[in-house]
């Protein structure tokens, strides 16, 4: 019906030439009467991913989410490539620099937990837009600091903005079907994380341009921070004005219409923290994203000092690590989706273990590298393994709980920051280890902390080594999140639609026959 949420394309036909990935025809029930540009399932989640399309609301939301997250990554790590200049200006010690690096990734531990809750209760649009704009002043404050304490405090506050990762992943999980969610989540987060590489290139260039315009080097680095700060304001406004919480509209409006039931925070929280799979994913993500964030903080200084490179060259090499996210994290998500088509959830779990273990091995090699060429090759391979593991992790997260998706996404994301903070503190802050030794031990820790993936078991799909229970179906697993009273109110209906779509996680052998396309406007 014209005027219904999602029906206005604003000139976008959806027929533009674009690279597309889609769910196999007949593998999930489709709602063929829904008025969307992209084909959608029973929950109105898109079953096709057209990367270069702006079709509303699915693809518009995709681009807004990764761009806003990328902006936050740029500002959080903007100081890293300028550390050789900043440390001279502020008389920073190695311990000061290490503490600031820990602070930059510690700030978002709390904010990511809160962001997950806000996404569940008020929607990702408001949560993302407000956080991006509220952290803009902290980015501008980098130009005012005069000592180590100020440097550490401001980097801590800027780090709060990394919680946009949670809204990014939550948003994608509400907009795209589970059979392509690994790829979509991986691409959105990967392109966002690429901001860690962009900033390694951007900030030295801005510094050089400003210096050539007549500023001293101690003034130039300060002025450079006005660029990422301005980006916060721009993208906050864009998300607020162009974004949409759900395929059918914004959460608040749908709740007023009675189309989406209001949930209780205590219930949502309980089903997140009482699910042991949540905690295992927190640990696993701590040593995929965690090592990536740690490396973003130390890698430019590592090449600058160890191989005696100039600032721009060290920044260029360091940028390759972050920029690899453009394709490595989507590759991890794609590998997760592809393995699930043949082996179901068990394939996703094996994919995560393989990728993250490889990342740990290449990190060890980077720590042992004694020549520039070897170090660069090891860095590239390390980035592929670690970042692909991040994408693979969020190919699993959406299936842990439908009701508590936001909080579980937030807790898992916070695990990445906790892992980064601990690793940074243990290996790169005290001065006990040289940077290359820290990288070596970080790789060993990654390998060890990846082993618990074998403990993740879904009764309806199995685990790495154990088969599924024949008596448990998808509906049985997801309906347990609602008691009889809540079921009588129909609060579980969205879960049942999700359970129907998630049957694909049985894999090719255990999957049911292809379903027919659903032509009803409101399928059960």
């Amino acid at each position: 019906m014209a005027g219904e949420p999602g029906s206005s394309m604003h000139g976008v036909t959806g027929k533009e030439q674009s690279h597309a990935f889609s769910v196999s025809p007949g593998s999930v029930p489709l709602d063929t009467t829904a008025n969307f540009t992209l084909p959608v399932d029973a929950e109105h989640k898109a079953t096709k991913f057209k990367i270069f399309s702006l079709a509303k609301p699915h693809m518009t939301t995709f681009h807004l989410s990764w761009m806003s997250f990328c902006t936050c990554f740029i500002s959080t790590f903007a100081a890293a490539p300028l550390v050789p200049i900043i440390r001279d200006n502020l008389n920073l010690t190695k311990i000061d620099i290490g503490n600031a690096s820990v602070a930059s990734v510690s700030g978002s531990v709390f904010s990511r937990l809160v962001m997950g809750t806000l996404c569940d209760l008020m929607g990702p649009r408001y949560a993302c837009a407000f956080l991006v704009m509220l952290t803009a002043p902290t980015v501008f404050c980098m130009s005012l600091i005069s000592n180590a304490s100020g440097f550490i405090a401001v980097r801590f506050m800027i780090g709060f903005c990394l919680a946009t990762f949670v809204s990014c992943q939550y948003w994608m999980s509400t907009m795209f079907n589970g059979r392509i969610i690994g790829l979509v989540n991986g691409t959105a987060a990967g392109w966002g994380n690429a901001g860690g590489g962009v900033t390694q290139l951007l900030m030295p260039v801005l510094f050089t341009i400003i210096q050539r315009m007549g500023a001293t080097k101690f003034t130039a680095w300060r002025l450079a921070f006005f660029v990422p700060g301005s980006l916060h304001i721009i993208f906050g406004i864009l998300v607020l004005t162009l974004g949409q919480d759900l395929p059918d509209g914004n959460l608040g409006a749908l709740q007023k219409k009675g189309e989406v039931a209001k949930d209780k925070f205590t219930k949502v929280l309980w089903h997140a923290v009482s699910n042991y799979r949540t905690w295992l994913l927190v640990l696993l993500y701590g040593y995929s994203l965690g090592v990536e964030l740690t490396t973003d903080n130390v890698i430019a200084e590592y090449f600058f000092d160890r191989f005696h490179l100039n600032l721009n060259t060290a920044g260029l090499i360091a940028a390759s690590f972050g920029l690899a996210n453009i394709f490595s994290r989507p590759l991890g998500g794609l590998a997760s989706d592809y393995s699930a088509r043949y082996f179901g959830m068990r394939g996703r779990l094996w994919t995560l273990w393989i990728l993250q273990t490889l990342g740990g091995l290449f990190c060890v090699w980077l720590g042992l590298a004694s020549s520039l060429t070897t170090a660069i090759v090891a860095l590239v391979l390390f980035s592929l393994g670690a970042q692909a593991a991040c994408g693979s992790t969020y190919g699993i997260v959406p299936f842990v709980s439908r009701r508590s998706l936001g909080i579980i996404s937030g807790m898992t994301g916070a695990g990445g920051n906790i892992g980064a903070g601990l690793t940074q503190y243990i290996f790169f802050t005290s001065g006990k280890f040289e940077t290359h030794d820290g990288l070596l031990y970080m790789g060993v820790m990654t390998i060890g902390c990846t082993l618990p993936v074998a403990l993740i078991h879904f009764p309806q799909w199995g685990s790495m080594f154990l088969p599924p229970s024949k008596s448990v179906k998808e509906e049985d697993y997801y309906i347990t999140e609602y008691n009889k009273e809540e079921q009588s109110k129909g609060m579980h209906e969205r879960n049942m639609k999700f359970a129907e779509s998630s049957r694909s996680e049985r894999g090719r052998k255990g999957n049911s026959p292809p379903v027919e396309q659903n032509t009803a406007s409101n399928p059960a």
Side-chain angles (χ1 to χ4, degrees), residues 4-173:
E4 286 295 311
S7 64
S8 175
M9 299 298 114
H10 296 284
V12 179
T13 66
K15 299 179 180 179
E16 299 88 356
Q17 293 297 316
S18 60
H19 196 41
F21 298 89
S22 60
V23 175
S24 301
S27 60
V28 296
L30 301 180
D31 185 350
T32 57
T33 64
N35 195 6
F36 294 94
T37 301
L38 300 179
V40 296
D41 62 13
E43 295 183 275
H44 292 171
K45 295 181 180 180
T47 59
K48 180 175 288 188
F49 179 45
K50 302 180 71 173
I51 295 178
F52 301 117
S53 169
L54 291 175
K56 292 179 69 94
H58 304 89
M59 293 311 304
T60 301
T61 297
F62 165 77
H63 290 295
L64 287 173
S65 63
W66 80 257
M67 287 180 181
S68 58
F69 179 43
C70 182
T71 296
C72 293
F73 234 90
I74 290 172
S75 59
T76 299
F77 295 101
L82 299 180
V83 160
I85 307 300
I86 298 174
R87 69 185 177 188
D88 292 339
N89 188 190
L90 303 180
N91 298 316
L92 302 177
T93 65
K94 182 178 178 63
I95 293 178
D96 292 330
I97 296 170
N99 286 335
S101 296
V102 172
S104 69
V105 296
S106 299
S108 63
V109 172
F110 173 73
S111 63
R112 285 190 172 192
L113 294 174
V114 174
M115 177 64 85
T117 304
L118 293 178
C119 286
D120 280 326
L121 300 180
M122 66 183 293
R125 181 175 67 101
Y126 278 144
C128 177
F130 289 161
L131 180 60
V132 172
M133 288 191 285
L134 287 173
T135 50
T138 64
V139 183
F140 293 131
C141 282
M142 279 295 289
S143 64
L144 304 176
I145 59 176
S146 58
N147 53 44
S149 298
F151 182 61
I152 294 170
V154 172
R155 289 209 68 187
F156 174 78
M157 291 186 289
I158 294 175
F160 275 72
C161 70
L162 286 183
T164 49
F165 165 77
V166 178
S167 59
C168 171
Q169 299 295 271
Y170 180 95
W171 226 344
M172 297 304 93
S173 298

Side-chain angles (χ1 to χ4, degrees), residues 255-268:
Q255 288 177 336
K256 289 180 180 179
K257 293 179 181 179
E259 296 180 24
V260 176
K262 286 187 177 182
D263 217 332
K264 292 183 179 180
F265 168 69
T266 53
K267 292 280 189 179
V268 176

Side-chain angles (χ1 to χ4, degrees), residues 64 242 306 315:
L64 287 173
L242 301 179
R306 184 169 174 80

Side-chain angles (χ1 to χ4, degrees), residues 207-440:
F207 169 78
T208 301
I209 291 174
I210 295 171
Q211 193 176 21
R212 287 178 179 177
M213 293 173 65
T216 65
K217 66 177 183 179
F218 290 163
T219 299
W221 75 261
R222 297 173 184 274
L223 295 176
F225 277 87
F226 279 87
V227 173
S230 299
L231 290 175
H232 273 244
I233 297 174
I234 293 170
F235 280 103
I237 294 173
L238 288 176
V239 168
L240 193 60
T241 56
L242 301 179
Q244 182 171 304
D245 291 320
L246 298 166
D248 294 315
N250 289 316
L251 183 61
L254 293 175
Q255 288 177 336
K256 289 180 180 179
K257 293 179 181 179
E259 296 180 24
V260 176
K262 286 187 177 182
D263 217 332
K264 292 183 179 180
F265 168 69
T266 53
K267 292 280 189 179
V268 176
L269 178 63
W270 170 250
H271 287 292
V273 300
S274 63
N275 193 320
Y276 82 93
R277 301 168 192 83
T278 301
W279 298 103
L280 290 177
L281 288 168
V282 168
L283 171 64
L284 292 165
Y285 203 58
Y287 286 91
S288 55
L289 179 71
V291 299
E292 180 186 345
L293 296 181
T294 301
T295 306
D296 281 331
N297 270 323
V298 304
I299 199 64
E301 186 183 10
Y302 165 71
F303 277 100
F304 183 86
D305 292 333
R306 184 169 174 80
F307 299 105
H308 309 292
L309 305 177
N310 62 46
L311 186 64
N312 287 330
T313 303
L316 182 63
I317 296 173
S320 67
F321 180 81
L323 290 172
N325 271 291
I326 294 174
F327 58 87
S328 59
R329 187 154 182 160
L331 181 64
L334 181 61
S336 181
D337 289 340
Y338 188 78
S339 61
R341 291 190 180 187
Y342 292 92
F343 307 106
M345 179 57 68
R346 302 178 75 181
R348 291 189 189 272
L349 296 170
W350 272 104
T351 299
L352 173 58
W353 178 79
I354 291 170
L355 292 173
Q356 193 154 314
T357 300
L358 287 174
L361 290 171
F362 290 129
C363 184
V364 170
W365 188 27
L366 176 61
L368 296 172
S370 57
S371 69
L372 179 60
T373 301
T374 302
I376 292 174
V377 173
L379 178 69
V380 172
L381 294 176
F382 166 41
S383 68
L384 292 175
Q387 294 161 7
C390 292
S392 181
T393 301
Y394 272 84
I396 299 170
V397 168
F399 297 99
V400 175
S401 169
R402 179 65 180 84
R403 187 175 191 178
S404 304
L405 173 61
I407 292 183
I408 292 176
S409 296
M411 291 177 65
T412 304
N417 290 80
I418 293 171
L422 288 175
T423 305
Q424 183 87 39
Y425 179 77
I426 295 171
F427 299 126
F428 302 101
T429 299
S430 64
K432 183 178 179 180
F433 302 103
E434 294 293 332
T435 304
H436 62 276
D437 290 328
L439 291 169
L440 168 63

